[in-house]
Amino acid sequence: LSGSGALKNVDIAFSFQFGPGTFAPGESTAVVSLEGSFTLSSSASTLEIEIGGLTAGTEFDQLSSTGTVNLGGTLDVLALDLGGYTPTAGDRFEIINSTSPIIDTFNSVNFPNIGFNRTLTWLPVDYTTDPNKVFLEIATVDFLGADFDEDFDVDADDLAQWERSEERRVGKGCRSRWS
């Protein structure tokens, strides 16, 4: 099931249960409003969340439920290059919110370790700051090792910068030995 907008049902006890398979909100990024409860009911269930910036709906996926959210299965986080987003340590993403406390946790989480031409590390999924919300947070961000000028590519400019820094390092070492 994918798309954007609200999933609705007139029956107040309605619930969305996702068994084996992947639930991906939106065609790209979206806020999907669930008027009822949401359950990942199988260990083979996957919730796919795309992140490409800091704004819910246009730059990252978010589920918003008016009922109970029961987690399980796998959270699969994907980094989208939407252009213009530069991640920094501490960037937080509210990926799920509910009118009721979230029940349980994901069985496993897959975070991208590279995105936006950078190496990313993530904090563990935050289920505790607010019991009605689930947050993701970037712990550290590093440029790719060979991108010395930090312009999002590895090219001759990077080689030239590395050679200059290597010459300074070696040159300083020589001067300091003979001083």
Side-chain angles (χ1 to χ4, degrees):
L1 177 64
S2 67
S4 60
L7 296 173
K8 299 180 181 183
N9 192 302
V10 293
D11 181 351
I12 197 158
F14 190 76
S15 74
F16 300 94
Q17 292 196 7
F18 296 92
T22 299
F23 176 69
E27 293 300 318
S28 180
T29 56
V31 172
V32 175
S33 300
L34 303 171
E35 295 186 8
S37 63
F38 175 83
T39 301
L40 288 174
S41 61
S42 165
S43 60
S45 301
T46 299
L47 174 61
E48 184 178 280
I49 296 292
E50 298 170 315
I51 295 178
L54 296 171
T55 306
T58 58
E59 297 177 321
F60 74 89
D61 289 329
Q62 183 181 70
L63 292 178
S64 182
S65 176
T66 60
T68 304
V69 174
N70 296 285
L71 298 178
T74 299
L75 171 62
D76 197 10
V77 181
L78 305 175
L80 292 182
D81 186 0
L82 300 175
Y85 173 56
T86 303
T88 58
D91 285 356
R92 284 178 63 85
F93 308 92
E94 180 185 315
I95 61 165
I96 300 174
N97 62 60
S98 176
T99 56
S100 303
I102 309 280
I103 298 171
D104 217 346
T105 62
F106 293 105
N107 298 335
S108 63
V109 179
N110 299 316
F111 285 115
N113 60 0
I114 294 179
F116 321 103
N117 294 311
R118 292 163 172 80
T119 301
L120 306 173
T121 57
W122 297 80
L123 292 176
V125 176
D126 179 356
Y127 304 100
T128 60
T129 298
D130 182 328
N132 293 20
K133 297 178 180 181
V134 176
F135 294 95
L136 304 180
E137 185 173 339
I138 296 175
T140 62
V141 179
D142 294 313
F143 277 90
L144 296 176
D147 187 11
F148 291 97
D149 60 4
E150 298 182 346
D151 68 347
F152 311 113
D153 62 11
V154 177
D155 56 16
D157 295 335
D158 297 298
L159 177 59
Q161 186 167 338
W162 176 80
E163 286 173 337
R164 284 190 302 275
S165 66
E166 189 66 12
E167 286 170 3
R168 283 192 300 268
R169 187 185 68 77
V170 171
K172 286 181 182 178
C174 289
R175 281 191 295 274
S176 66
R177 282 190 294 184
W178 299 104
S179 302

